Amino acid sequence: MPEGIGYGASPAFQPSLAVPRGDQLAQQAQQINARQSEVVAETVQRQADFSSNRAESLARVAEQIEQRAQTDAGPGVGDVVDITV
């Protein structure tokens, strides 16, 4: 009963002879590299979008603070407290 454990006329695994094994590995490596490049590009794009949004938000906050500083030009601490020496 050696056929039951893989000694028969047809082996359990027969490699494809259409494409050499080295070429298959090279294709798989290229596909993996391409997918990794896509993932990295997507990650970098998300980070760039986040940074851009953050910069716009900070610019708006700075603009609001500047506007408040210009409109609140009322008496300052120096006008209320005598700080002469």
Side-chain angles (χ1 to χ4, degrees):
M1 180 137 171
E3 296 86 15
I5 53 175
Y7 292 108
S10 78
F13 172 74
Q14 216 169 16
S16 171
L17 300 176
V19 179
R21 183 74 177 141
D23 290 346
Q24 285 178 339
L25 291 175
Q27 285 177 340
Q28 287 176 346
Q30 287 176 344
Q31 290 172 347
I32 290 170
N33 287 339
R35 180 63 188 138
Q36 284 177 337
S37 294
E38 288 176 19
V39 169
V40 168
E42 290 170 2
T43 301
V44 168
Q45 184 62 49
R46 278 195 305 272
Q47 290 174 340
D49 291 343
F50 174 80
S51 294
S52 178
N53 290 340
R54 181 75 175 141
E56 289 173 6
S57 174
L58 291 174
R60 282 192 300 271
V61 169
E63 188 176 312
Q64 290 171 352
I65 291 171
E66 186 177 330
Q67 288 175 355
R68 273 190 233 139
Q70 290 173 355
T71 57
D72 292 343
V77 174
D79 296 333
V80 177
V81 179
D82 184 12
I83 57 170
T84 57
V85 183

